[in-house]
Amino acid sequence: MGIIKLCFLLSDMKIRNDDISFDSELEHVKTFCEICDKHGFEIIHAVTPIGITHHIDSSWNNDYIVAQGGKHTLGDNRQLLDYLQTRKDKFGTHGLFHSHKPSLMDQRLSVAMLKEWGFTPEYAVLPFNEESPEYTDTVLGLKVLGKSQRLEDYLEKMPKANELPTDDIVYLHEWRFGPGRWYHWDNLDRTLERIKNGLV
């Protein structure tokens, strides 16, 4: 029974891709999506509608984050937006800017912007995986996704390389993969194959 339950959980596991924003690269996001599609894992894109996310430091205060992020929106990255609109993935908000503990007003604006771009957000993901008293199990009808298991930890040569995730939703940052970055695409490919097959 335990093995059957484990296989069921792994086959239903979703991958949350945090930090989709103006500075996300189309070819990069496509590579990530193609690897997930190959292994049959559903994707949840956590979208920050305004500014950048890839070089934001968690030690910065919100005013500095907003100033550094600029005023570009995901909609200004037209090719990426067009691609995401063709996908059947799920979507969530990831702040209005990638700031600490976004307010409910920020959340309302994020939802409105995602809907304007043709997405139906189902989840709220707080930047930096921080908790906020304004966000419990749901907010504005969206399921709040807090900190979960980080998929990068299950890659080869990482601390949990000989384990399997047990959360229904795990998270990663696709922009950290690829040539010259923290992790390699082929490592993600092999790791998802291992997880799909329930191999430790």
Side-chain angles (χ1 to χ4, degrees), residues 24-39:
S24 297
E25 299 172 26
L26 171 62
E27 291 306 317
H28 209 260
V29 173
K30 282 175 75 172
T31 300
F32 166 72
C33 290
E34 287 164 3
I35 293 172
C36 290
D37 291 349
K38 173 183 174 181
H39 299 292

Side-chain angles (χ1 to χ4, degrees), residues 63-152:
D63 290 340
Y64 193 69
I65 289 172
V66 171
Q68 293 303 305
K71 300 301 179 187
H72 286 290
T73 71
L74 178 65
D76 295 324
N77 190 338
R78 193 69 232 182
Q79 288 184 320
L80 176 61
L81 183 63
D82 290 346
Y83 173 72
L84 291 173
Q85 289 169 338
T86 70
R87 301 276 309 167
K88 294 186 189 240
D89 302 323
K90 296 190 180 298
F91 290 86
T93 60
H94 197 42
L96 180 61
F97 303 89
H98 197 286
S99 56
H100 300 280
K101 301 183 179 180
S103 68
L104 287 180
M105 179 55 72
D106 282 357
Q107 180 67 17
R108 285 188 185 93
L109 292 171
S110 296
V111 169
M113 291 181 79
L114 264 66
K115 287 183 175 178
E116 180 71 22
W117 291 323
F119 304 125
T120 304
E122 298 179 40
Y123 302 97
V125 180
L126 272 69
F128 310 113
N129 284 306
E130 294 173 332
E131 296 182 358
S132 170
E134 293 183 320
Y135 292 75
T136 53
D137 290 338
T138 61
V139 60
L140 302 177
L142 308 181
K143 179 174 177 53
V144 174
L145 300 182
K147 190 167 178 64
S148 63
Q149 293 168 326
R150 192 177 77 114
L151 186 56
E152 288 101 321

Side-chain angles (χ1 to χ4, degrees), residues 17-61:
N17 180 26
D18 288 3
D19 295 354
I20 288 289
S21 58
F22 170 73
D23 56 341
S24 297
E25 299 172 26
L26 171 62
E27 291 306 317
H28 209 260
V29 173
K30 282 175 75 172
T31 300
F32 166 72
C33 290
E34 287 164 3
I35 293 172
C36 290
D37 291 349
K38 173 183 174 181
H39 299 292
F41 288 102
E42 190 170 22
I43 300 168
I44 301 168
H45 296 290
V47 178
T48 299
I50 303 176
I52 61 171
T53 57
H54 301 182
H55 303 289
I56 297 294
D57 192 298
S58 63
S59 67
W60 297 351
N61 66 39

Side-chain angles (χ1 to χ4, degrees), residues 8-15 40-42 151 165-170 192 195:
F8 173 76
L9 288 174
L10 292 175
S11 67
D12 282 357
M13 186 182 81
K14 294 178 179 63
I15 299 174
F41 288 102
E42 190 170 22
L151 186 56
T166 55
D167 288 349
D168 294 339
I169 299 172
V170 297
L192 291 185
I195 291 171

